[in-house]
């Protein structure tokens, strides 16, 4: 393996599982009792805005009852101490990376604690409940919605992510099933540009065969051990 300077870490729901946040594709394939298509598509929002807004209100309120776990804390330590480049990209809409101390994780699928204006595109921090038809503070139209990237919508900051992946020497995927693109394709892009690729997950993801190395287990144990080893050189 070449010397490691730039690292990209991709995280998914599995990193927050030990904090008590349900993963998306758990037993039964339901997310907190709902089919993903019923709460995570533009069609669902148009069909039943009350249900969709309430669903994300509940998820946002639940953040007050959870805390970062050892995996989030270890990545925050890596963020603080790694002398090279590091980009943490998360598919998660929770705020546990930030609460552990990570400086600027990219939330490619949006954030629970943010509201998006469907009319003017304004995004702003949002802590409270967000009923349908709430007025936008910028354009004034009653068009605020949860700032979640629904299926069929384009994830945030893809240019920055693509650039970091092309420049990285090590790509690490933690706690994601590899079922949702474009994130599921990052490993192949990283390999294409010559990075070493490592997966840490409870069980093999759909893209496991694309990784140079897979470590199976709980993120709360695997990630701190990996961070210790990387920082020790
Ligand atoms: P998934 O629920 O699809 O996958 C979570 C993965 O984490 C699974 O492979 C589990 O085996 C693994 N896992 C569970 N507990 C773990 C633990 N303690 N330690 C390590 N791994 C563990 O979640 P994502 O891959 O993040 O999109 O889902 C991707 C996207 O699909 C989400 O961002 C969401 C969803 O639809 C949007 O909201 C737009």
């Amino acid at each position: 393996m070449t010397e490691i300077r730039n690292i990209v870490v991709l995280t998914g729901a599995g990193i927050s599982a030990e904090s008590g946040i349900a993963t998306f594709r758990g037993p039964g394939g339901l997310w907190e009792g709902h089919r993903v298509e019923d709460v995570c598509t533009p069609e669902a929002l148009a069909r039943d805005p009350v249900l969709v807004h309430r669903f994300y209100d509940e998820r946002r309120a639940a953040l007050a009852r959870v805390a970062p776990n050892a995996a989030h804390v270890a990545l925050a330590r890596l963020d603080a101490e790694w002398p090279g480049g590091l980009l943490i990209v998360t598919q998660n809409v929770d705020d546990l990376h930030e609460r552990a101390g990570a400086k600027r994780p990219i939330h490619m699928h949006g954030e629970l604690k943010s509201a998006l204006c469907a009319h003017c595109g304004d995004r702003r921090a949002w802590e409270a409940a967000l009923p349908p038809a709430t007025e936008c503070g910028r354009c004034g139209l009653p068009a605020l919605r949860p700032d979640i990237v629904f299926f069929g919508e384009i994830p945030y900051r893809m240019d920055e992510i693509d650039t970091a992946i092309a420049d990285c020497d090590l790509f690490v995927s933690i706690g994601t099933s590899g079922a949702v693109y474009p994130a599921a394709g990052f490993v192949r892009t990283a390999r294409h540009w010559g990075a070493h690729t490592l997966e840490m997950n409870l069980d093999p993801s759909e893209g496991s065969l694309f990784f140079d190395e897979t470590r199976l287990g709980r993120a709360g144990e695997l990630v701190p051990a990996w961070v210790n080893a990387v920082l020790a050189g």
Side-chain angles (χ1 to χ4, degrees):
M1 202 196 319
T2 53
E3 194 189 334
I4 298 169
R5 179 161 173 78
N6 296 327
I7 303 175
V8 172
V9 176
L10 171 70
T11 67
I15 198 169
S16 296
E18 289 159 73
S19 293
I21 298 181
T23 58
F24 295 91
R25 293 170 185 79
L30 298 181
W31 184 22
E32 298 283 0
H34 293 269
R35 296 186 314 155
V36 170
E37 311 86 84
D38 291 338
V39 289
C40 201
T41 61
E43 294 77 15
L45 181 65
R47 190 173 53 238
D48 196 343
V50 171
L51 172 87
V52 173
H53 278 248
R54 193 174 55 220
F55 179 77
Y56 291 102
D57 283 349
E58 287 167 4
R59 306 277 80 70
R60 191 181 308 109
L63 293 181
R65 300 191 290 274
V66 298
N69 64 55
H72 298 105
V73 170
L75 286 184
R77 180 175 163 233
L78 186 68
D79 197 355
E81 297 181 20
W82 179 246
L86 173 71
L87 181 66
I88 299 172
V89 181
T90 186
Q91 299 168 88
N92 298 343
V93 294
D94 65 53
D95 60 353
L96 296 180
H97 283 303
E98 291 91 333
R99 281 163 60 190
K103 287 188 288 265
R104 284 179 298 274
I106 290 184
H107 285 270
M108 63 178 289
H109 288 167
E111 294 177 65
L112 285 167
K113 289 191 174 174
S114 175
L116 168 70
C117 178
H119 180 72
C120 74
D122 188 49
R123 303 177 74 196
R124 59 184 59 207
W126 202 271
E127 298 272 345
L130 179 65
T134 299
E135 283 179 12
C136 170
R138 186 166 84 176
C139 73
L141 289 180
L144 289 189
R145 54 164 267 190
D147 191 3
I148 304 294
V149 176
F150 292 146
F151 282 93
E153 298 178 334
I154 298 169
Y156 288 118
R157 299 172 66 180
M158 284 303 299
D159 287 352
E160 278 169 81
I161 297 169
D162 284 340
T163 300
I165 291 175
D167 285 345
C168 78
D169 312 298
L170 176 61
F171 173 79
V172 183
S173 172
I174 302 167
T176 173
S177 61
V180 174
Y181 283 81
F186 291 170
V187 58
R188 273 172 280 175
T189 310
R191 274 179 80 112
H192 171 80
W193 293 107
H196 184 75
T197 54
L198 165 65
E199 164 172 73
M200 289 183 258
N201 211 41
L202 200 55
D203 36 42
S205 69
E206 293 186 20
S208 253
L209 73 165
F210 298 114
F211 287 87
D212 295 310
E213 191 185 343
T214 294
R215 298 181 190 173
L216 298 182
R218 293 153 66 98
E221 290 160 14
L222 294 179
V223 178
W226 170 71
V227 168
N228 284 341
V230 168
L231 288 176

